[in-house]
Amino acid sequence: MDSTSYAAAVAANVERAILGAGLTVPGVARVTGIPRTTFARRLASDGFSPFSVAEVKAIANAVGTTAAALTTVYTEPVAAVA
């Protein structure tokens, strides 16, 4: 997986986490201090404008998860543990 694909996958994780927490993108942008237009660009850029580590940490705090959860990306389905 190249860095652009990885950044796009992280952005998708961020968006799912926001929706899963029952929050909105503008609301999380406000709480994190990330300008709303920057936040929207990061989500819509297909990985060409990735979130910084500091932004991921702030988003994780805002949605009640960890930065590791937002940045973990699987390229293949994870096998079930028996």
Side-chain angles (χ1 to χ4, degrees), residues 21-46:
L23 302 171
T24 65
V25 171
V28 174
R30 185 174 47 257
V31 169
T32 60
I34 301 168
R36 194 171 61 128
T37 55
T38 299
F39 206 113
R41 182 177 63 251
R42 303 240 192 280
L43 290 176
S45 73
D46 289 330

Side-chain angles (χ1 to χ4, degrees), residues 22-79:
L23 302 171
T24 65
V25 171
V28 174
R30 185 174 47 257
V31 169
T32 60
I34 301 168
R36 194 171 61 128
T37 55
T38 299
F39 206 113
R41 182 177 63 251
R42 303 240 192 280
L43 290 176
S45 73
D46 289 330
F48 290 100
S49 179
F51 286 102
S52 71
V53 172
E55 290 168 340
V56 170
K57 289 171 117 179
I59 294 163
N61 288 335
V63 301
T65 192
T66 64
L70 295 178
T71 57
T72 299
V73 175
Y74 298 101
T75 57
E76 296 179 14
V78 177

